[in-house]
Each structure stands twice: as C-alpha cells, then as structure tokens.
C-alpha cells in the first residue's frame, strides 16, 4: 500500500526543494500574466489561498523566503475565521507584501451580494478599495473563494472581465490573456488529506501524487495551489 502524504510544514518544504532541484522557477500569478509568452522552460505559478489562518500563511512566507521563491497570497476580507485588519494579521500581511510576494483578493462576491442584498459589482469595488488602502498596494488579481454558502463566486465572472474593475486577472480566468488553469498541469491540496491534479483543465481521477512526484515528469507549466490551513508540525488539530 502506498504511504499517504503527511501534510507537515517540513514535508511541504521538501516538496518545494525537489521542484527547485528539478529546475523549476517559481513565479506569482501576476508575473505569469506579464510573461506568459516568455516563460522559463520549467515554471511553477505559486498560489496560496488564505482561507482560515493568516498566522499559518506567515509560516509559508518564511519558507518561501528561505527558499528564495515567489508566491501570490489571496486574502479574504469577510472570513469569520480571521480579521485581516487585526494587529497580528495586518503585521503578517504587511510582511508578506514587504517580502516581495503578490497579495491578491480571495473574493466572495456572490456570497456577499446574496447575504447583504447588495450589488456584487459594488461589493467588489468596495473590497478592492479597502484592501488597496489598508495595505497600500494595487491588487492585480482575484481568486474566487469556495465557501459554505452553496453559491459559486465564479458565477460573477460569466459575463464580466477583470479589466472592468482595474484588475489584470481572475485566477480561473479562461480568456486568452490569462487562461492559466487550462494551459497548465494543476496541483492542489484542497482535499486536505491528499493531493489532486488536473491536466489542462481535466481532472486526473485517482491521481493523488505529491508535488515532488509530479515534477519528475517535467511538466513545462505547473499551477500550484496550496492552503496554509492544511499544514502542521505534528497533527492537524495542534
């Protein structure tokens, strides 16, 4: 029986080290949008969705800084699990920014509109303005969050495009100007206890191999999504 991957911080760092040794360059989502036609032969777009813990995101930032690699961190504004403007969260987010990583917005536009009975476009504009102001940045991209409401926040983008809101991309945007998900080999830890992957938009059913196992295949472009909440030192409930 194949041994299951243990989602410790140390094991995760080993995965990144394996990719670096294989020759991969790590870039942010925005960097991909700017040089998608001139990428390194082996490229990983490094994405972090901060779903529940800014403190755990700080651990990932420290790891990336040690390894000298870039990432995009997507931040929620309305999570009950964390307040991005608390003393500690703001300190961490500012440190992520000052380390040279991209900060994007982990949007819940449809959720907000349905709960608050407000226009979703107004919600997005207000949230972008708030995040830009508090962190003194210019958000270039959003990633739609999938929560517990039953609504699909990606639905907002069916008849809209990021440029309407001063953005460069949405993380699953399939327009020719981005189209990262459909152009890459996508690896995610979003099932918590095992990896999953898609090849050019198609789920590879039953393939739970880790990053280090996938990089042996030397996929030219990998889209890697991880969540800070998945990782731990000794066990998931620590």
């Amino acid at each position: 029986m194949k041994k299951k991957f243990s989602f410790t911080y140390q094991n995760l760092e080993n995965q990144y080290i394996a990719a670096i040794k294989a020759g991969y360059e790590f870039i942010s989502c925005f960097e991909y949008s700017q040089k998608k036609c001139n990428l390194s032969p082996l490229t990983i777009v490094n994405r972090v969705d901060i779903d529940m813990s800014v403190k755990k995101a700080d651990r990932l930032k420290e790891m990336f800084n040690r390894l000298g690699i870039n990432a995009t961190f997507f931040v929620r504004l309305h999570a009950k699990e964390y307040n991005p403007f608390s003393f500690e969260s703001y300190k961490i987010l500012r440190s992520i920014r000052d380390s040279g990583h991209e900060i994007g917005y982990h949007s819940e536009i449809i959720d907000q509109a349905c709960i608050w009975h407000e226009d979703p476009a107004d919600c997005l504009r207000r949230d972008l303005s708030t995040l830009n102001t508090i962190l003194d940045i210019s958000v270039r991209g959003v990633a739609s969050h999938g929560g517990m409401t039953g609504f699909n926040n990606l639905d907002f983008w069916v008849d809209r495009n990021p440029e309407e809101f001063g953005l460069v991309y949405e993380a699953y945007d399939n327009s020719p100007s981005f189209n990262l998900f459909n152009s890459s080999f996508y690896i995610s830890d979003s099932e918590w206890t095992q990896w999953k992957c898609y090849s050019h938009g198609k789920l590879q059913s039953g393939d739970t191999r880790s990053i280090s196992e996938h990089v042996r295949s030397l996929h030219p472009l990998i889209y890697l999504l991880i969540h800070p909440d998945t990782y731990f030192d000794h066990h998931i409930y620590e």
Side-chain angles (χ1 to χ4, degrees):
M1 179 183 294
K2 179 183 176 182
K3 185 177 179 181
K4 294 193 71 173
F5 185 85
S6 179
F7 284 86
T8 63
Y9 292 110
Q10 187 57 62
N11 280 345
L12 179 65
E13 186 161 351
N14 291 340
Q15 301 298 301
Y16 277 90
I17 290 171
I20 292 170
K21 288 181 176 178
Y24 278 92
E25 176 188 1
F26 286 81
I27 63 174
S28 68
C29 293
F30 178 68
E31 288 176 304
Y32 167 78
S33 73
Q34 298 304 288
K35 59 184 199 178
K36 58 172 295 190
C37 296
N38 190 32
L39 297 173
S40 297
L42 297 174
T43 299
I44 293 179
V45 180
N46 195 21
R47 169 182 162 189
V48 179
D49 285 1
I50 309 178
D51 280 2
M52 292 187 282
S53 176
V54 175
K55 182 174 284 190
K56 284 193 169 188
D58 194 40
R59 292 285 298 269
L60 298 187
K61 177 214 71 180
E62 293 296 334
M63 179 194 305
F64 297 154
N65 290 354
R66 276 196 307 276
L67 298 175
I69 60 179
N70 288 344
T72 300
F73 290 79
F74 288 100
V75 180
R76 296 170 69 191
L77 291 185
H78 308 290
K80 70 174 184 177
E81 292 86 1
Y82 67 84
N83 173 8
F85 308 132
S86 71
F87 291 113
E88 187 62 15
S89 291
Y90 172 74
K91 178 173 173 284
I92 291 169
L93 292 175
R94 188 179 62 182
S95 176
I96 290 172
R97 177 202 67 190
D98 292 346
S99 294
H101 303 292
E102 179 189 9
I103 293 179
Y105 177 41
H106 204 21
S107 60
E108 299 171 88
I109 310 165
I110 299 297
D111 295 339
Q112 294 167 242
C114 292
I115 292 170
W116 297 337
H117 306 292
E118 293 183 354
D119 180 82
D122 291 341
C123 291
L124 177 58
R125 292 187 183 95
R126 181 176 61 225
D127 286 350
L128 290 173
S129 176
T130 300
L131 191 55
N132 285 337
T133 299
I134 195 68
L135 288 176
D136 192 24
I137 59 176
S138 179
V139 172
R140 280 114 165 205
V142 302
S144 298
H145 176 65
M148 299 176 66
T149 63
F151 302 120
N152 185 350
N153 288 296
L154 269 172
D155 287 346
F156 177 81
W157 299 103
V158 170
D159 56 357
R160 297 178 176 90
N161 64 71
E163 290 78 11
E164 295 176 48
F165 301 90
L167 299 166
V168 175
Y169 68 88
E170 199 286 330
Y172 292 111
D173 179 6
N174 60 8
S175 68
S177 63
F178 196 70
N179 200 31
L180 174 55
F181 181 67
N182 292 318
S183 301
S184 65
F185 192 86
Y186 174 91
I187 307 170
S188 173
D189 64 4
S190 57
E191 293 189 351
W192 285 85
T193 60
Q194 63 182 16
W195 297 96
K196 69 176 181 179
C197 62
Y198 291 72
S199 180
H200 296 85
K202 295 183 179 179
L203 176 65
Q204 304 302 288
S205 182
D207 190 342
T208 61
R209 288 178 294 163
S210 64
I211 302 166
S212 62
E213 293 172 298
H214 283 301
V215 298
R216 294 173 194 160
S217 299
L218 299 179
H219 301 287
L221 177 61
I222 292 176
Y223 188 8
L224 176 60
L225 168 62
I226 63 172
H227 301 77
D229 328 291
T230 307
Y231 300 92
F232 49 83
D233 287 309
H234 304 291
H235 60 84
I236 191 65
Y237 292 118
E238 64 193 15

